[in-house]
Amino acid sequence: MHTELSAPSPWLLRWSHLIPAQAQVLDLACGRGRHMQWLQSQGCKVLGVDRDENALQVAQSFGDVLCADVENAAWPLAHRQFDAVVVTNYLWRPIWSPLMACLKAEGVLIYETFAVGNESVGKPSRPEFLLSHGELLDRCKALRVVAYEDVFLTHPDRFVQRIVAVNTDHSSQRFAGSHFKAEKS
């Protein structure tokens, strides 16, 4: 099945050199797999997680997939760790701790999503889906931040925060004991 996917995020392309060769990568909220496709082409082994079964039918061409609703069910990746975690255009705060527990020591987090201000230019516009100023920095304080931006981008117009951070030695132990219970909104 040949399907044209949109281009990978320039943020991912800019920082993916930090992901080791042959890395095990988690792409959370992977959709149809645009990042999975690119990461696979770089030699990574990718697990894409999304709740959209139709999107995963395309994504499975680029690696393993897991259909899971992380907003309404238990975290499906307990006790699994990855060399890198990639998340774009997705925010669900209750899973932050278990998501960070998925990073191996020296694992790389590449995260990019909508921020406050986006409500003035489009969707998402609800506060629960928009990062507050400096929120990604705060959430990554246990990691070594390599790069961070809180910016307005065009084509399409959007406000985003994005971060690249490395799980320094033993940081994963801080997250490993975190307990997660799905919360319904």
Side-chain angles (χ1 to χ4, degrees):
M1 166 191 321
H2 177 71
T3 304
E4 192 68 30
L5 300 177
S6 57
S9 162
W11 188 249
L12 172 63
L13 297 178
R14 180 176 172 191
W15 294 105
S16 62
H17 66 278
L18 297 176
I19 300 173
Q22 302 297 311
Q24 297 282 330
V25 180
L26 169 62
D27 184 357
L28 181 65
C30 67
R32 295 172 56 218
R34 68 184 175 126
H35 295 126
M36 290 179 66
Q37 180 181 37
W38 192 83
L39 288 161
Q40 180 194 52
S41 76
Q42 303 304 300
C44 296
K45 295 175 180 76
V46 190
L47 171 64
V49 177
D50 204 289
R51 67 180 177 191
D52 183 340
E53 290 181 31
N54 292 327
L56 290 175
Q57 288 179 5
V58 176
Q60 70 185 356
S61 300
F62 314 117
D64 294 329
V65 296
L66 174 63
C67 187
D69 183 351
V70 299
E71 295 176 17
N72 296 299
W75 179 247
L77 301 171
H79 310 295
R80 297 227 15 219
Q81 290 195 311
F82 299 86
D83 300 302
V85 172
V86 173
V87 184
T88 60
N89 300 332
Y90 182 72
L91 177 63
W92 185 247
R93 290 174 181 93
I95 63 165
W96 190 263
S97 288
L99 179 64
M100 293 301 97
C102 284
L103 271 179
K104 288 182 179 177
E106 300 305 319
V108 178
L109 172 69
I110 300 177
Y111 201 112
E112 173 181 24
T113 198
F114 301 97
V116 168
N118 203 69
E119 69 281 0
S120 68
V121 295
K123 294 197 181 284
S125 58
R126 293 178 22 205
E128 62 266 29
F129 302 123
L130 302 176
L131 290 164
S132 61
H133 295 294
E135 185 174 349
L136 274 182
L137 279 175
D138 186 52
R139 291 187 175 273
C140 291
K141 63 186 170 197
L143 307 175
R144 181 174 51 83
V145 174
V146 175
Y148 170 78
E149 292 183 348
D150 187 348
V151 296
F152 176 76
L153 301 173
T154 58
H155 309 296
D157 289 354
R158 64 208 184 277
F159 288 82
V160 299
Q161 278 184 53
R162 43 200 191 180
I163 200 163
V164 176
V166 176
N167 187 14
T168 55
D169 292 341
H170 308 296
S171 293
S172 61
Q173 301 309 314
R174 285 181 258 202
F175 299 112
S178 300
H179 297 287
F180 171 73
K181 182 177 179 183
E183 297 176 21
K184 295 196 179 209
S185 53

